[in-house]
């Protein structure tokens, strides 16, 4: 490389003498071997062989010799690291975070050194030991010569003629035969899933179903949820481990101070200023739950649709097109919060069959 | 009207207590500093009059300019009557209060007051109108907690704002959910209990004290655990990973390819 | 090696059965041009190999199953948590299998590098015009590889069934469900019913480990075969013409270099995997449709799509009882449709506008096609804005900029930034062209000041070296259509009617596309610079020797004629 001091820069490089050269000593002033070979070939010009394109010796034997040692060191290092990898694999058990950390560090470092050693060694090899060459290869035009194209066309047409493909009955019935064949793979995919039906319009919420706090799975009384500014994720009792049900039925309840809630929130569906909204964003279905008790915003962490919890969770920013549906709430005989029905509009992302009735903000009864 | 009269009565009580506190200061000081009063501050009712007096004087110097001489609130700051000792301890011990300036979100800073002073102010505010008390060390201890339940609760009700690892996240209009990196178990407990700023409240009847400890156990365990795969990249998800892939990965490989294809220049 | 007079035993054995000696010899002597940017595609190729190798390892331990289990493994914080077998087995790979975490991380980092390298490789090909005839097919194959790689990545990182990727799947399902007419059916068929169902992980698994890798393998093979068959393009330079390839032979040079580069790619991926934690699924927790994390982000290659979803206003239409969710389908299909569709059509559009049906094997320097470079940068800006917006919540949280402000900035700049990028890039390119012209006409400033006998001071300039001159003179300008002269069809251009609306449009686009600084010397003949080179030695003043010493390659090089 050009940025390392090159012993050959000074013509009378004294440094060459102590290290007995393995390649023939070059006398100053004679051309480098590659060139001398070339000249030789030129002089004995009756050889039909052109000068060798790849000279068999390095451009700079001194540097090549030094590089050889460095390359060998790189490869040795790589081999050692490879052994180190195996040693680390055998020696370091993993059974938790800290042991994995040690193992990952040891295995990863040794593997990196294996490849770095090989890579650096190979590049130094190419750059310092292989002679620098630049060869030229001619490109042939990619287009075939006209006569070849003609031959092709003739052969093709001859084949087509011999095949009798021009007979309309054969051609049409063959095409006809392939049409159902193309449809068969599609038909076979039919049983990949059930038809949607109206399932996107409903959740598992039913009249009388208790709201339970997700996680501990405990029901709530309005009195338990009494501080204005409270928010918690609830799910229908009995469905806490049913992911398909939860993907639509997950709900948040928020407690307000008396008189804070405003239309289009349906007041009949609240209990003691506790309001329940679907937690499934009407944009593409992320759970929305970044509730800010100061601004009453419910923000979706995925695409930042923002809903105003005071005003029936209407949309105030972002790509969601519909308010979060409101779940009608009541209490059961034991005083626990229950749903008094399913959501009145579909929850979650829009879909083709949703229709305009899905856009009434949940206050349709 | 009854609210105002109640407050007047308290104000008078407060002044009386200040006088009393000053008189007994010398004796009481040693006991307060010797026992930085988790027990004393645990419930406002058990706060000593002296402590309340000290709190009141600190309050009048540092807090009253925004929250009013009697914590009744001004245009600059909300009323603190009824917020409770836990809210005060959270705000003051995290350095959010006293605030340097009003901004969308009060940042966490080194606290101005030491624990005793903080508890004194908390006791004073609690004496004005009750509210949640500062939890005791035992109440916030993660030892023996059910981390699985804590994980479930954290992911369902906390991570949406504070991120899966408690690294924090953006809210609307410049507000943000702070990182939980430096929050003490007490502060996490207090935050759930009192809902500081935009944060919703998680009272003890919804998320029980035991469940709060489960959440605290999950947060404190996960945040202090090692990153077995190397540097954490902030634990904020794929954004930093993409950045590292381009700058570190593609970038270093571009250097490698430049080296490999560099033209050799022989100097002769 | 070259000394051996004949083939060895294995060679004879093989050649006896294949008659392969001649093709193998040609293969060994195949010339590959050298330029650092030609290795960008190799990053992708080698990442792909790493992905296959590590992927095979991961399949030995991964359970693509959504069956519920309760975890009781070595990672305490999740002890007793319900999760799918897929998630549990990923925890197992991370914490119980030796080297499992390392290979998981290598797999993920290599995936990011794979897609990232495809992106920068595509940019290189676009900006150098390397997609031009005869390489349009390979360009389109490349776009196909890019497209399905994105899906491969999305499906791959969804497999562990963690909270973050589950949220990504939820979004994917929401987008699918919003597709007009067939959306609900597509979603129900893919997920085997309602989201999330119990089959999506096994289905994604087979797509991820078999179907798409198979497709990728076929497309990458085709890509490499075509590249090999058509021979690689080269950058302009001394001795390089449209009819040759100048470089080092496959054996041993290219093999050694590309082998070294493979090791570097593997080393970089291994280093990243040792020191930078990626996709720590144990922190995300198992997927649960009630949970969500702040900063829910996809991997970077989905970022533009995510950003497009974020900036879109909430438009929907209800027509005849049916809902068209513009708020989802526009961002999901339009921006990437513009990028991918535009990229796929561009070679043909450019060919139509310029009427240039010649083969091109010498790459353009980006400055020499200012309009194309400008359009490319506009696309980069467009994609970049969407990409950044995809991380707007993280940017807002880290830099304390209000969230909606960022969204509004993105809403404006998604239109503005491409226009600005186009204009600025074009001006920069034209400026660089002027500088090149100046260099060619006046030479390089040496910094040496001479006083003339008259007392006047002049700065000595020296002509640019041959090497540099060849590069500078590569600018021939794109073919211009003749002005629409009534009656007379343009010479040399297959003339479609220039009077029709399309013809006028074509001429106008041609004016924009071919804008550039006039080529300084001997221009006017558009036959490529092979011809320029013929007359050149006479034009090079003797002073050029000085420049050669500084600029030219090894002495061996000058022995060789530049063409045969």
């Amino acid at each position: 490389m050009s940025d390392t001091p090159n012993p050959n820069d000074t013509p009378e490089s004294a440094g060459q003498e102590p290290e007995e050269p393995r390649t023939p000593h070059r006398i100053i002033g004679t051309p480098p071997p590659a060139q001398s070979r070339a000249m030789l070939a030129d002089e004995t010009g009756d050889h039909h062989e052109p000068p060798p394109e790849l000279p068999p010796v390095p451009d700079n034997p001194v540097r090549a010799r030094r590089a050889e040692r460095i390359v060998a060191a790189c490869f040795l290092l790589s081999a050692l690291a490879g052994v180190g990898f195996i040693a680390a694999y055998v020696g370091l058990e993993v059974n938790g975070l800290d042991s994995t950390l040690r193992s990952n560090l040891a295995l990863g470092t040794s593997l990196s050194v294996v490849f770095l050693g090989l890579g650096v060694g190979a590049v130094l090899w190419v750059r310092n030991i292989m002679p620098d060459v630049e060869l030229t290869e001619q490109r042939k035009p990619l287009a075939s010569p006209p006569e070849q194209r003609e031959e092709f066309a003739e052969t093709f047409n001859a084949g087509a003629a011999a095949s009798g493909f021009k007979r309309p009955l054969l051609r049409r019935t063959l095409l006809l035969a392939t049409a159902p064949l193309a449809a068969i793979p599609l038909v076979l995919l039919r049983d990949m899933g059930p038809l949607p039906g109206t399932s996107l319009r409903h959740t598992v919420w039913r009249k009388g179903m208790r709201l339970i706090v997700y996680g501990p799975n405990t029901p709530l009384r309005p009195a338990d949820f009494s501080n204005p500014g409270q928010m918690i994720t609830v799910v229908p009792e009995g469905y806490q481990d049913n992911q398909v049900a939860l993907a639509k039925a997950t709900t948040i309840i928020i407690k307000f101070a008396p008189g804070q809630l405003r239309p289009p929130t349906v007041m009949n569906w609240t209990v003691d200023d506790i309001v329940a909204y679907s937690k499934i964003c009407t944009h593409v279905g992320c759970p929305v739950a970044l509730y800010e008790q100061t601004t009453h915003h419910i923000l979706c962490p995925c695409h930042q649709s923002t809903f105003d919890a005071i005003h029936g969770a209407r949309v105030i920013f972002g790509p969601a097109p519909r308010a979060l549906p409101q779940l009608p709430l009541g209490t059961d005989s034991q005083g626990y919060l229950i749903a008094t029905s399913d959501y009145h509009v579909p929850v979650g992302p829009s879909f083709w069959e949703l229709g305009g009735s899905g856009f009434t903000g949940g206050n349709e009864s | 009207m009854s609210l105002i009269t109640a407050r007047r009565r308290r104000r008078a009580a407060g002044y009386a207590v200040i006088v009393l506190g000053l008189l007994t200061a010398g004796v009481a000081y040693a006991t307060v500093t010797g026992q930085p009063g988790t027990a004393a501050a645990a419930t406002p009712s058990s706060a000593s009059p002296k402590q309340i007096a000290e709190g009141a004087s600190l309050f009048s110097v540092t807090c009253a300019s925004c929250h009013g001489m009697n914590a009744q609130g001004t245009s600059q700051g909300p009323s603190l009557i009824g917020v409770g000792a836990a809210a005060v301890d959270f705000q003051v011990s995290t350095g959010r209060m006293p605030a340097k300036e009003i901004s969308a979100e009060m940042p966490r800073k080194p606290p101005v007051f030491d624990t005793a002073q903080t508890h004194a102010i908390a006791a004073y505010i609690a004496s004005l109108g009750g509210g949640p008390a500062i939890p005791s060390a035992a109440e916030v201890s993660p030892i023996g907690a059910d981390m699985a339940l804590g994980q479930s609760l954290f992911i369902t009700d906390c991570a949406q704002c504070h991120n899966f690892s408690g690294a924090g996240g953006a809210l609307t209009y410049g507000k943000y959910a702070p990182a939980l990196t430096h929050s003490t178990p007490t502060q996490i407990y207090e935050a759930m209990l009192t809902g500081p700023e935009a944060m919703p409240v998680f009272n003890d009847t919804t998320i029980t004290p035991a469940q709060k400890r489960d959440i605290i156990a999950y947060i404190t365990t996960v945040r202090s655990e090692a990153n077995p795969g190397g540097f954490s990249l902030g634990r904020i998800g794929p954004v930093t990973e993409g950045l590292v892939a381009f700058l570190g990965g593609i970038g270093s490989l571009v250097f490698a390819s430049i080296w490999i294809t560099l033209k050799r220049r022989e100097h002769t | 090696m070259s000394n051996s007079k004949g083939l060895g035993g294995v060679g004879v054995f093989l050649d006896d059965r294949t008659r392969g000696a001649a093709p193998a010899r040609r293969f060994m002597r195949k010339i590959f041009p050298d330029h650092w940017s030609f290795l960008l595609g190799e990053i992708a190729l080698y990442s792909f190999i790493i992905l296959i190798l590590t992927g095979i390892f991961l399949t030995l331990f991964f359970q693509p199953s959504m069956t519920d289990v309760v975890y009781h493994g070595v990672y305490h914080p999740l002890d007793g948590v319900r999760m799918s077998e897929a998630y549990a087995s990923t925890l197992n790979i991370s914490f119980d299998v030796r080297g499992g975490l390392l290979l998981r991380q290598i797999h993920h980092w290599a995936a990011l590098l794979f897609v990232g390298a495809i992106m920068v490789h595509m940019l290189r090909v676009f900006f150098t015009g390397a997609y031009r005839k005869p390489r349009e097919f390979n360009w389109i194959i490349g776009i196909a590889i890019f497209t399905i790689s994105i899906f491969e990545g999305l499906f791959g990182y969804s497999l562990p069934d963690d909270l973050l990727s589950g949220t990504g799947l939820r979004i994917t399902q929401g987008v699918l469900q919003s597709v007009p007419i067939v959306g609900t059916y597509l979603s129900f068929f893919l997920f085997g019913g309602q989201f999330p169902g119990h089959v999506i992980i096994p289905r994604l698994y087979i797509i991820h480990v078999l179907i798409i890798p198979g497709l990728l393998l076929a497309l990458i093979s085709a890509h490499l075969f075509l590249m090999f068959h058509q021979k690689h393009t080269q950058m302009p330079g001394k001795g390089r013409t449209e009819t040759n390839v100048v470089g080092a032979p496959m054996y041993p040079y290219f093999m050694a270099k590309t082998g070294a580069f493979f090791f570097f790619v593997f080393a970089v991926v291994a280093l990243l995997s040792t020191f930078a934690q990626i996709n720590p699924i144990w922190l995300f927790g198992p997927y649960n449709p009630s949970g969500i994390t702040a900063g829910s982000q996809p991997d970077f290659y989905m970022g533009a799509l995510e950003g497009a979803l974020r900036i879109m206003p909430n438009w929907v239409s209800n027509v005849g009882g049916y809902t068209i969710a513009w708020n989802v389908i526009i961002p999901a299909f339009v921006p990437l449709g513009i990028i991918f569709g535009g990229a796929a059509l561009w070679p043909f559009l450019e060919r139509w506008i310029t009427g240039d049906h010649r083969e091109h094997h010498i790459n353009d320097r980006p400055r020499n096609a200012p309009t194309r470079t400008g359009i490319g940068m506009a696309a980069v800006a467009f994609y970049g804005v969407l990409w950044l917006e995809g991380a707007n919540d993280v940017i807002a949280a880290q830099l304390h900029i209000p969230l909606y402000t960022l969204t509004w900035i993105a809403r404006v700049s998604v239109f503005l930034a491409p226009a600005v990028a186009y204009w600025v890039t074009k001006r920069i390119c034209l400026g660089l062209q002027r500088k090149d012209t100046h260099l060619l006409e006046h030479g390089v400033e040496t910094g040496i000041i001479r006083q003339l006998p008259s007392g006047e001071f002049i700065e000595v300039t020296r002509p640019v070296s041959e090497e540099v001159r060849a590069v500078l003179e590569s600018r021939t300008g794109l073919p211009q259509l003749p002005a629409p002269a009534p009656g007379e069809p343009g010479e040399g251009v297959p003339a479609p009617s220039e009077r029709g609306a399309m013809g006028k449009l074509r001429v106008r686009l041609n004016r924009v596309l071919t804008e550039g600084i006039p080529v300084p010397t001997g221009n006017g003949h558009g036959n490529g610079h092979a011809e320029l080179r013929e007359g050149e030695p006479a034009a090079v003043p003797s002073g050029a020797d000085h420049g050669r010493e500084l600029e030219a390659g090894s002495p061996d090089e000058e022995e060789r004629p530049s063409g045969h």
Side-chain angles (χ1 to χ4, degrees):
Chain A
M1 284 181 358
S2 56
D3 50 351
T4 54
N6 186 343
N8 216 33
D9 280 351
T10 50
E12 274 119 38
S13 174
Q16 289 181 25
E17 274 154 36
E19 19 180 29
E20 197 46 39
R22 268 162 281 176
T23 50
H25 209 91
R26 236 178 83 202
I27 297 147
I28 306 303
T30 58
Q35 281 173 353
S36 62
R37 280 179 64 92
M39 282 172 175
L40 214 75
D42 275 359
E43 281 160 16
T44 59
D46 35 3
H47 266 277
H48 71 286
E49 278 286 318
E53 289 175 310
L54 301 185
V57 284
D59 299 334
N60 182 337
V62 178
R63 203 167 72 178
R65 221 165 33 245
R66 201 184 46 191
E68 188 179 356
R69 283 193 291 271
I70 299 172
V71 172
C74 286
F75 290 165
L76 264 178
L77 183 69
S78 178
L80 284 177
V83 174
F85 183 93
I86 296 167
Y89 185 89
V90 174
L92 295 175
E93 288 289 328
V94 295
N95 56 357
L97 276 186
D98 294 318
S99 54
T100 305
L101 170 64
R102 283 191 295 276
S103 165
N104 193 65
L105 202 60
L107 293 175
T109 310
S110 51
L111 195 64
S112 307
V113 173
V114 169
F115 288 115
L116 271 182
L118 285 168
V120 172
V123 174
L124 289 176
W125 185 345
V126 179
R127 296 185 65 78
N128 296 300
I129 297 173
M130 297 189 192
D132 192 11
V133 295
E134 195 170 69
L135 302 186
T136 303
E137 185 183 0
Q138 293 305 305
R139 290 180 192 274
K140 282 181 231 138
L142 281 157
S144 309
E147 58 274 21
Q148 282 183 16
R149 292 183 174 188
E150 265 168 43
E151 281 166 20
F152 170 84
E154 277 166 22
T155 311
F156 182 83
N157 291 334
S163 73
F165 195 68
K166 291 254 165 78
R167 292 162 196 259
L169 184 64
L170 284 181
R171 202 170 62 237
R172 284 173 198 162
T173 48
L174 177 63
L175 281 176
L176 190 69
T178 54
L181 193 62
I184 284 174
L186 287 175
V187 171
L188 279 173
L189 297 180
R190 164 61 190 87
D191 277 350
M192 279 179 72
L195 293 181
T198 58
S199 56
L200 288 176
R201 298 190 169 271
H202 310 295
T203 74
V204 295
W205 285 109
R206 291 289 171 276
K207 182 177 169 61
M209 199 175 271
R210 278 182 183 165
L211 283 62
I212 58 170
V213 176
Y214 187 75
N217 303 329
T218 44
L220 275 178
R221 290 189 179 88
D224 300 332
F225 196 70
S226 55
N227 297 49
Q230 274 194 280
M231 190 248 11
I232 198 80
T233 302
V234 292
V235 295
E237 185 169 28
Y239 289 93
Q240 55 270 21
D241 294 324
N242 182 336
Q243 295 219 337
V244 172
L246 292 190
K248 284 190 304 182
T250 304
T251 299
I252 49 173
I253 54 173
I254 303 170
K255 167 79 177 179
F256 285 94
Q260 263 186 320
L261 283 168
R262 295 269 178 281
T265 315
V266 183
M267 299 301 172
N268 289 342
W269 293 354
T270 65
V271 173
D272 294 352
D273 299 294
I274 297 170
V275 62
Y277 295 118
S278 167
K279 197 182 180 178
I280 309 303
C281 187
T282 54
H283 178 219
V284 283
C286 288
V288 286
L290 282 77
Y291 176 62
E292 300 172 1
Q293 66 143 318
T294 43
T295 55
H296 315 293
H297 292 163
I298 308 171
L299 173 70
C300 178
C302 291
H303 307 101
Q304 285 108 39
S305 296
T306 311
F307 305 88
D308 180 0
I310 282 185
H311 296 95
R314 67 177 182 197
V315 181
I316 54 173
F317 190 83
R322 300 188 292 142
L324 296 173
Q326 187 185 345
L327 183 70
L329 290 186
T331 49
D332 62 12
S333 54
Q334 289 165 286
Y336 288 111
L337 282 171
I338 54 162
T340 57
S341 79
D342 191 3
Y343 286 101
H344 285 228
V345 291
V347 303
S350 307
F351 50 97
W352 174 247
E353 299 86 352
L354 174 66
S357 62
F359 284 79
T360 45
N363 50 3
E364 194 88 347
S365 19
Chain B
M1 292 311 278
S2 65
L3 203 76
I4 295 167
T5 50
R7 200 192 295 159
R8 275 199 186 129
R9 206 162 55 233
R10 284 214 184 79
R11 185 200 288 168
Y15 284 139
V17 167
I18 290 172
V19 176
L20 192 69
L22 286 172
L23 286 174
T24 54
V27 189
Y29 190 74
T31 32
V32 171
T33 46
Q35 187 73 290
T38 44
T43 48
S45 56
S46 68
S48 70
K50 191 229 75 140
Q51 198 185 16
I52 292 172
E54 191 199 349
S57 70
L58 287 170
F59 183 88
S60 64
V61 174
T62 325
C63 321
S65 57
C66 293
H67 293 287
M69 272 316 288
N70 306 303
Q72 79 279 20
T74 71
S75 60
Q76 297 292 307
S79 164
L80 301 182
I81 291 160
V83 300
V88 176
D89 186 52
F90 175 84
Q91 295 286 355
V92 178
S93 71
T94 60
R96 289 185 166 81
M97 291 290 149
K100 282 206 185 95
E101 57 190 344
I102 308 292
S103 56
E105 185 79 33
M106 300 298 176
R108 189 184 178 95
K109 345 185 258 292
V112 173
F113 297 111
D114 62 24
T115 311
Q117 290 169 322
T118 306
H119 285 188
I121 301 171
Y124 165 66
I125 295 297
S127 75
L128 301 182
I134 300 170
S136 70
E139 280 177 285
V140 302
S141 164
I143 294 160
D146 177 359
M147 235 186 293
L149 182 56
Q151 194 274 342
S152 171
L153 279 166
F154 182 79
I155 287 299
T156 321
D157 288 307
C158 313
Q160 70 263 36
C161 300
H162 290 288
N163 155 309
F164 59 88
S165 64
L171 300 173
T172 61
Y173 298 112
K175 294 188 290 298
Y176 59 89
L180 306 178
T181 331
H182 303 292
S183 309
T184 64
T186 306
Q187 288 162 355
I188 297 172
Y189 193 103
E190 288 165 346
M192 288 190 271
L193 200 56
T194 63
E197 302 192 42
M199 177 167 164
V201 178
F202 297 91
N203 70 4
D204 281 347
T205 43
T206 312
I207 302 280
T208 63
Q211 290 160 4
K212 288 195 173 76
R213 282 178 48 219
D214 298 340
I215 294 174
I216 291 169
Y218 180 75
I219 294 171
T220 52
T221 306
V222 165
R223 77 179 177 194
S224 60
E225 76 185 17
N227 292 301
F231 292 108
S232 71
L233 308 185
R235 287 185 172 183
I236 55 170
V239 172
T240 42
E241 294 167 2
L243 209 61
V244 169
F246 266 88
L247 297 182
I250 305 267
S252 55
L253 284 171
V254 164
F255 280 112
S257 34
I258 289 174
W259 182 40
I260 290 177
T261 56
L262 204 62
K263 236 188 166 21
R264 275 189 259 181
R265 286 179 189 175
E266 297 287 338
H267 296 273
T268 44
Chain C
M1 293 162 267
S2 58
N3 293 338
S4 68
K5 287 291 170 207
L7 291 164
V10 179
V12 168
F13 180 88
L14 289 175
D15 191 58
D16 278 351
R17 286 152 182 81
T18 57
R19 198 188 173 97
R25 189 200 160 272
R26 278 202 300 278
F27 185 81
M28 289 191 289
R29 258 313 142 80
K30 189 163 181 68
I31 301 298
F32 281 87
D34 240 3
H35 191 266
W36 68 268
S37 68
F38 296 168
L39 296 187
L40 294 173
E42 288 187 21
I43 303 177
L45 178 65
Y46 295 139
S47 303
F48 183 68
I49 292 172
I50 296 169
L51 284 167
I52 289 181
L53 295 175
T54 51
I56 291 170
F57 175 85
L58 294 174
T59 59
L60 303 177
F61 302 97
F62 179 69
Q63 301 284 336
S65 153
M66 296 175 86
T67 309
D68 264 358
V69 292
V70 176
Y71 182 71
H72 291 296
V74 295
Y75 182 64
H76 308 276
L78 294 179
D79 190 29
V81 173
R82 290 176 71 91
M83 55 183 65
S84 64
E85 265 191 296
Y87 184 81
S89 67
T90 313
L91 287 178
N92 183 54
I93 290 172
S94 305
F95 299 129
D96 298 277
V97 175
R98 279 177 286 180
L101 180 65
L102 183 69
L103 266 74
R104 243 198 77 221
Q105 299 209 109
I106 288 180
H107 195 72
H108 206 122
W109 279 118
L112 295 194
L113 277 196
F114 178 58
V115 187
I118 289 177
M119 285 165 71
V120 290
H121 173 60
M122 271 184 75
L123 288 177
R124 195 281 293 171
V125 170
F126 183 83
F127 284 128
T128 58
Y131 55 79
R132 289 173 297 175
K133 187 181 173 186
R135 295 183 178 76
E136 300 98 326
F137 276 148
N138 236 7
W139 173 247
I140 286 175
I141 291 174
I143 292 169
I145 292 173
F146 186 22
T147 314
I148 63 174
S149 300
I150 290 174
F151 284 100
E152 177 72 345
L154 168 70
F155 294 167
Y157 74 68
S158 296
L159 289 181
D161 203 19
D162 56 280
L163 184 69
L164 200 59
S165 71
T167 304
L169 267 188
R170 171 79 240 210
I171 295 170
T172 310
Q173 187 273 339
V175 170
L176 206 57
Q177 181 177 315
S178 303
V179 172
I181 305 174
V182 293
T184 43
Y185 291 85
L186 287 179
S187 164
F188 271 64
F189 289 160
L190 179 62
F191 286 82
Q194 300 193 59
F195 179 85
H198 303 282
V199 296
I200 188 64
I201 297 290
R203 284 182 183 173
L204 292 184
Y205 180 70
I206 204 64
I207 296 173
H208 178 77
V209 304
L210 180 71
I211 299 174
I212 296 186
L215 271 175
L216 278 176
L217 205 56
L219 287 170
I220 290 173
S221 305
H223 198 70
L224 292 179
F225 170 80
L226 270 175
M227 183 271 287
F228 204 84
H229 178 67
Q230 296 178 329
K231 298 191 170 73
H232 206 283
T233 55
Q234 54 192 347
M235 298 307 271
K238 197 177 124 228
R240 300 177 190 177
T241 70
E242 293 286 8
T243 55
N244 70 7
V245 198
V246 179
M250 174 88 169
Y251 171 76
Y253 292 87
F254 184 74
M255 278 164 70
K257 285 182 175 186
T258 199
F261 198 58
F262 172 71
F263 296 133
F264 279 128
V265 174
F266 215 137
V268 164
V269 173
L271 280 172
L272 284 172
S273 308
T274 311
F275 296 109
Q277 182 165 287
I278 191 165
N279 199 27
I281 51 111
W282 58 91
L283 293 175
F284 304 147
Y287 180 61
N288 130 27
S290 307
I292 183 84
T293 167
S296 282
Q297 305 285 349
D299 274 11
F300 83 83
Y301 39 85
M302 299 293 294
L305 210 56
E306 177 83 355
L309 282 169
R310 287 179 186 200
I311 60 171
M312 186 67 198
N314 61 349
W315 303 339
V316 286
S317 306
N318 286 297
V319 181
Y322 293 103
T323 300
I324 307 169
W326 303 113
N327 65 330
V328 177
I329 55 178
I330 289 180
F333 298 104
V334 173
L336 291 192
I338 291 174
I339 300 267
F340 287 107
L345 290 179
W346 175 257
F348 305 100
L349 192 65
E350 187 186 280
R351 206 155 58 104
W352 177 66
I353 294 172
T354 57
D356 184 358
H357 296 279
R358 297 169 302 174
E359 283 184 17
H360 289 277
H361 301 291
I362 296 217
N363 286 327
D364 276 333
R365 303 172 80 207
R367 70 185 62 174
N368 292 344
T371 303
R372 179 204 295 151
T373 306
I375 289 171
M377 286 310 291
V380 168
F382 177 70
Y383 188 90
V385 167
L386 293 178
W387 196 2
L388 283 175
E389 172 68 7
N392 69 345
D393 52 336
V394 172
I395 296 169
Q398 302 296 317
L399 305 182
H400 299 295
I401 304 169
L403 202 53
Y404 298 166
T405 310
L406 279 176
T407 301
W408 273 109
I409 291 172
R411 281 175 178 175
V412 175
S413 45
V414 78
F415 297 105
L416 198 61
V420 172
Y422 173 79
W423 189 82
V424 169
T425 307
K426 205 164 167 178
R427 294 304 111 188
I428 291 174
C429 286
L430 293 174
L432 288 171
Q433 286 192 4
R434 270 188 209 99
K435 196 188 115 213
D436 289 352
T437 304
H438 183 85
L439 270 179
L440 273 177
E441 285 173 347
H442 303 287
V444 186
E445 292 167 3
T446 56
I448 301 166
I449 307 289
R450 279 218 181 112
Q451 191 177 18
L452 298 182
S454 63
E456 186 193 354
F457 286 94
I458 57 155
E459 181 175 7
V460 180
T461 59
R462 113 181 114 66
V464 293
S465 68
E466 276 182 68
E467 190 67 36
V468 174
R469 171 171 289 270
V471 172
L472 294 183
E473 284 180 344
S474 70
R475 170 154 56 90
T476 52
L478 295 171
Q480 291 202 1
L481 291 180
E488 199 199 353
E491 192 189 5
V493 181
S497 166
E498 268 123 23
R499 267 160 292 185
M502 287 303 276
K504 278 184 187 143
L505 175 70
R506 182 175 173 218
V507 170
R508 194 173 299 164
L509 288 174
N510 183 269
R511 289 291 166 275
V512 177
L513 194 65
T514 56
E515 189 181 336
I517 307 300
V519 184
T521 50
N523 59 338
H525 50 88
N527 295 346
H529 78 218
E531 212 175 297
L532 269 178
R533 298 208 47 80
E534 306 281 326
E536 192 178 78
V540 178
S542 56
D545 283 350
H546 179 55
R548 274 197 45 69
E549 276 177 32
L550 292 179
E551 301 286 340
S554 70
D556 288 19
E557 211 177 306
E558 67 189 293
E559 294 291 314
R560 233 158 267 126
S562 57
H564 295 295

